[in-house]
Amino acid sequence: MHNPLGIYEKALPRGIGWRERLVAAREAGYDFVEMSIDESDERLARLDWSRSARLDLLRAVREEGVPVPSMCLSAHRRCPFGSADGALRAQADVVMRKALELAGDLGIRVIQLAGYDVYYEPSGAATRARYLEGMQRALELAARHQVMLAVEIMDTTFLNSITRYLALKSQLPPSPWLGVYPDLGNLSAWGNDVQAELRAGIGDIVGVHVKESRPVAPGFPGAFRDVPFGEGGVDFVRCFSTLHELGYAGPFLVEMWTEKAADPLREIRLAREWVLQRMAAGGYA
């Protein structure tokens, strides 16, 4: 049995339907697709999909044999739990409720939350306190829907390590529905001891984003996306070796933004081959 290797929706050609996405992922050799619900009106509209639209996706998943087990919910950048604006906080709760309802209907088991208290506002003690209140409400809803909420290690200092995730977790009521979704690119770019971080969080890791990055340095803010594999600073073999040593048996998700590339399908096939080689070198044969 191999660890499932999935592909991010935004790596697939833009403007195609869900059945076509699933077929493209399968033909490129991937095991699953991670859905994106970002802050765009187009993808936010999925939270209000009709019953027939939800059934269409379920039917396509069954017939094409490619599941959609996880959702990347970055819509909270637009309406964050930590906002000073009460209307935006109320909207954050609505987005969370609708995302959990959609996940329940589609069989999505993990919602990956971007680890931001706020995104377009200054961050501080007050935004952190409001964020914790919002996360507590979110976890209560997640328990009712039996869907895991996994916080991603991000590209800002608010949550740029698993250590910070564990500190955040300690301030929330105990919940089996809270986990962490480390992004190897983000985790590496901040200069963390990545192996120590993975060891510290292994009991909470429910998924791993496989993404290249360039590290933060004096006078350079780091490059957290659109860095081709092999042209950044992530030691993937060592990361995979550590995860294999720790017995991590969960999914890996190749995160790319190639939907507008000249040939997205070629890009994701090449990425899969590159990642599989590093996984094998790290013990995932």
Side-chain angles (χ1 to χ4, degrees), residues 151 153 159 161-169 178-180 204:
V151 185
I153 304 307
L159 205 72
S161 67
I162 294 175
T163 298
R164 290 199 172 190
Y165 156 77
L166 292 171
L168 170 77
K169 178 184 176 183
L178 178 63
V180 67
D204 284 53

Side-chain angles (χ1 to χ4, degrees), residues 173-283:
S175 173
W177 305 105
L178 178 63
V180 67
Y181 200 136
D183 180 307
L184 297 180
N186 295 345
L187 197 58
S188 299
W190 286 108
N192 292 300
D193 181 338
V194 177
Q195 282 60 51
E197 290 288 311
L198 294 173
R199 291 189 180 96
I202 188 60
D204 284 53
I205 296 174
V206 299
V208 176
H209 272 173
V210 180
K211 186 189 74 182
E212 186 66 276
S213 67
R214 296 192 181 102
V216 174
F220 180 63
F224 291 89
R225 58 173 290 167
D226 296 318
V227 180
F229 284 112
E231 297 183 20
V234 181
D235 188 341
F236 286 102
V237 173
R238 195 172 179 205
C239 290
F240 289 130
S241 178
T242 299
L243 287 165
H244 185 263
E245 170 196 326
L246 294 169
Y248 175 71
F252 293 105
L253 188 285
V254 174
E255 188 175 32
M256 302 169 66
W257 292 266
T258 48
E259 60 186 353
K260 295 181 181 178
D263 189 350
L265 300 183
R266 177 179 181 275
E267 297 287 341
I268 65 171
R269 284 195 295 269
L270 290 174
R272 177 180 176 273
E273 294 171 6
W274 194 94
V275 169
L276 286 176
Q277 288 173 5
R278 273 74 191 169
M279 288 177 64

Side-chain angles (χ1 to χ4, degrees), residues 13 16 27 38 40-41 54 71 73 82 97 123 127 139 143 178 181 185 191 195 210 270 277:
I16 62 175
E27 292 182 348
D38 62 19
S40 68
D41 291 339
R54 298 174 192 222
M71 173 197 300
L73 182 65
R97 174 179 58 79
S123 178
T127 60
L139 287 168
L178 178 63
Y181 200 136
Q195 282 60 51
V210 180
L270 290 174
Q277 288 173 5

Side-chain angles (χ1 to χ4, degrees), residues 59-226:
R59 188 175 300 111
V61 164
R62 293 293 184 186
E63 292 174 359
E64 303 302 337
V66 181
V68 182
S70 57
M71 173 197 300
C72 178
L73 182 65
S74 57
H76 282 128
R77 297 205 315 182
R78 181 167 166 176
C79 51
F81 287 131
S83 178
D85 186 331
L88 287 180
R89 295 198 303 275
Q91 185 60 30
D93 288 346
V94 171
V95 166
M96 191 74 260
R97 174 179 58 79
K98 288 184 175 183
L100 284 162
E101 290 170 354
L102 181 64
D105 287 346
L106 297 180
I108 290 173
R109 298 184 290 276
V110 173
I111 296 179
Q112 177 249 296
L113 298 178
Y116 302 122
D117 55 342
V118 288
Y119 192 75
Y120 299 111
E121 303 173 39
S123 178
T127 60
R128 182 181 182 86
R130 290 190 291 264
Y131 172 81
L132 288 168
E133 292 170 359
M135 281 296 295
Q136 183 169 341
R137 295 191 299 272
L139 287 168
E140 290 171 358
L141 284 173
R144 294 182 195 133
H145 289 275
Q146 295 183 294
V147 174
M148 179 72 67
L149 300 183
V151 185
E152 185 181 11
I153 304 307
M154 297 306 298
D155 54 352
T156 67
T157 56
F158 176 72
L159 205 72
N160 64 357
S161 67
I162 294 175
T163 298
R164 290 199 172 190
Y165 156 77
L166 292 171
L168 170 77
K169 178 184 176 183
S170 71
Q171 297 175 72
L172 291 166
S175 173
W177 305 105
L178 178 63
V180 67
Y181 200 136
D183 180 307
L184 297 180
N186 295 345
L187 197 58
S188 299
W190 286 108
N192 292 300
D193 181 338
V194 177
Q195 282 60 51
E197 290 288 311
L198 294 173
R199 291 189 180 96
I202 188 60
D204 284 53
I205 296 174
V206 299
V208 176
H209 272 173
V210 180
K211 186 189 74 182
E212 186 66 276
S213 67
R214 296 192 181 102
V216 174
F220 180 63
F224 291 89
R225 58 173 290 167
D226 296 318

